[in-house]
Amino acid sequence: MSYRIRVPEKVDPLDEAHLLTGVDRFLHVLQEQRRAVLAGLGVVLVAGAVVAGVMWYDYQSTLKARELDQEATLHYLNRPADDPKKSQEQLSQAITLYKQVVDQYPRSPAAPLALFHLGNAQVLANEVDAGIETYKRFMLLYGSNTSLLGLVQQRLAYAYLAKGDRDQAVKAFTGILDIPGALNKDHVLFELAKIEESQSRPEGALAHYQDLMKNYPNSPFTSEAAVRVKVLEVKKAPETPAAAPASAASAPAPQPEQPAKASSGKSTAPASKKKQ
């Protein structure tokens, strides 16, 4: 009878880490990586502090920029009409305050509108060249602001007209028609038509007026455009040849001559013989 020798199974002792619970394992890893964890936590805290500081600074900058913009606008709008000297002083103060907004707080929400108002104030103060540069600066810094970009280019065109540079004005006006979402395209077409009329080019003026009437029928400029179209079409129509001069009036028919009246003298009739 054979005997089978029973060999006991080998059991590997479990690793100590396997016997730990999830929390104990986390604490164990945390203990081993303490320096790295503390360093990462410090980075997170610093980043959070930086973000909070930037947000607080932006908030304070927005408030300050808004206050300056409101003060400048009050000076700009409340100029006395009956006191030119004081009006000029307030306009100068408005220009100074608008410059502070755009120079010190260019990232604030008030900066684009302040820059637009700055250009308007400079042109009004007869600083046309400075106003043109301000409008160009707006186009460079805030060209993505399509709601204001069209108005800025329109003001730029007016500034060029004030300088007598009609070609640059037309270029600025025409550029507005290519701005998606510009709200003043109807006004621009009307201004372009007026420029064409001033240069004695009725065909170009008619094209702009008709474009305005077709694409913007509800525009407040449409009725005036319709009047101008009628006037230009009358001028454009060839003049009717002048009527031939009326033929000379026929001479009156000669009237028959009146018979001459007999003389009043007595005619000598032959004496009749008396009957004897």
Side-chain angles (χ1 to χ4, degrees):
M1 183 175 181
S2 61
Y3 294 93
R4 182 179 296 176
I5 300 174
R6 188 174 182 179
V7 180
E9 297 180 358
K10 293 183 179 181
V11 178
D12 295 334
L14 294 175
D15 191 277
E16 183 180 357
H18 292 168
L19 299 176
L20 299 176
T21 63
V23 176
D24 293 336
R25 191 180 304 125
F26 174 75
L27 294 176
H28 180 72
V29 173
L30 189 63
Q31 184 69 21
E32 292 180 349
Q33 305 292 333
R34 181 172 54 184
R35 288 186 177 181
V37 171
L38 291 177
L41 184 60
V43 170
V44 171
L45 291 176
V46 171
V50 170
V51 171
V54 170
M55 293 178 63
W56 180 85
Y57 176 78
D58 286 345
Y59 175 73
Q60 294 297 323
S61 298
T62 299
L63 291 180
K64 185 62 177 176
R66 189 176 300 168
E67 291 175 0
L68 289 172
D69 181 67
Q70 290 176 351
E71 185 179 356
T73 302
L74 287 176
H75 285 295
Y76 181 76
L77 296 179
N78 295 333
R79 303 187 314 275
D82 56 348
D83 192 344
K85 183 178 180 181
K86 187 175 181 180
S87 176
Q88 187 64 31
E89 290 176 355
Q90 290 196 212
L91 190 59
S92 298
Q93 291 177 353
I95 290 174
T96 300
L97 292 171
Y98 282 135
K99 285 182 177 179
Q100 291 181 17
V101 175
V102 299
D103 292 339
Q104 298 177 15
Y105 309 102
R107 296 174 56 249
S108 67
L113 191 59
L115 191 59
F116 175 50
H117 288 161
L118 173 61
N120 297 342
Q122 288 171 328
V123 173
L124 190 61
N126 205 25
E127 301 174 7
V128 180
D129 290 332
I132 289 175
E133 293 304 318
T134 298
Y135 294 138
K136 290 181 177 179
R137 182 181 176 186
F138 181 99
M139 295 165 62
L140 180 64
L141 296 178
Y142 309 109
S144 59
N145 191 337
T146 55
S147 59
L148 276 179
L149 184 59
L151 297 176
V152 170
Q153 284 198 219
Q154 184 174 353
R155 289 286 186 163
L156 176 62
Y158 289 148
Y160 279 127
L161 287 177
K163 287 188 64 177
D165 194 341
R166 189 173 298 172
D167 292 338
Q168 287 296 328
V170 171
K171 183 178 179 181
F173 277 134
T174 306
I176 299 172
L177 301 178
D178 298 328
I179 299 176
L183 302 177
N184 56 334
K185 293 183 179 181
D186 55 337
H187 196 177
V188 168
L189 287 171
F190 188 78
E191 294 292 347
L192 287 172
K194 287 169 57 180
I195 292 176
E196 292 292 321
E197 278 198 78
S198 67
Q199 293 183 304
S200 300
R201 293 201 291 256
E203 294 81 4
L206 278 172
H208 289 308
Y209 283 136
Q210 290 169 350
D211 193 6
L212 168 59
M213 295 166 59
K214 177 182 177 181
N215 296 318
Y216 306 96
N218 297 324
S219 168
F221 300 99
T222 299
S223 58
E224 179 65 20
V227 173
R228 297 307 306 163
V229 166
K230 292 181 180 179
V231 172
L232 291 174
E233 285 178 345
V234 170
K235 291 182 178 180
K236 186 179 177 182
E239 296 182 358
T240 56
S247 57
S250 57
Q255 298 180 357
E257 295 182 358
Q258 297 291 336
K261 293 182 179 180
S263 59
S264 57
K266 293 182 179 180
S267 58
T268 56
S272 57
K273 292 183 179 181
K274 294 181 179 180
K275 292 181 179 181
Q276 295 181 357

